[in-house]
Amino acid sequence: MADIPADLLYANTHEWVRSEGDGVYTVGISEHAQELLGDMVFVDLPDVGDEIDAGDDCAVAESVKAASDIYAPLSGEILEINEELEDSPELVNSDAYGDGWMFKLRASDESELDNLLSAEDYAASIEDED
């Protein structure tokens, strides 16, 4: 069973969200998602300053198995991207919830957090997939 930290929220499309305070959120993909994709070979991230809407495909994770869109779990402005993924996309595999984070955004509508899943609900949703 993949690690699912209890202090994060999750989209049913396998992105995780961590509050950094002041309306800023860090986004990555879950350990379960990176296990499904396999070894990462390339990550295409949005540009700093991009405005995205919840549900938009805003990034691409390419692995030895497939390329997969990464969807915005919240609407807002991209504040920062993880530039280390450009040279080391394998960080997503080795530390999905730490060094493998993808981007930070300032949420424009924090009520969208209500649409995300708790760790418990996310765990149940991926069990249903199996």
Side-chain angles (χ1 to χ4, degrees), residues 23-98:
V24 176
Y25 295 87
T26 300
V27 176
I29 63 170
S30 71
E31 187 174 291
H32 174 73
Q34 67 82 21
E35 286 174 354
L36 290 175
L37 288 168
D39 294 338
M40 293 292 158
V41 294
F42 180 73
V43 179
D44 184 27
L45 297 172
D47 293 323
V48 172
D50 282 358
E51 294 282 342
I52 56 175
D53 291 323
D56 283 356
D57 55 339
C58 61
V60 176
E62 189 173 330
S63 71
V64 293
K65 292 182 181 174
S68 181
D69 289 334
I70 307 298
Y71 298 95
L74 300 170
S75 300
E77 179 185 359
I78 302 295
L79 298 179
E80 184 179 350
I81 60 170
N82 186 352
E83 294 180 3
E84 289 195 36
L85 295 181
E86 187 173 307
D87 293 329
S88 303
E90 68 276 8
L91 290 172
V92 175
N93 297 113
S94 63
D95 192 8
Y97 300 112

Side-chain angles (χ1 to χ4, degrees), residues 15 57 59 89 130:
E15 294 81 12
D57 55 339
D130 295 337

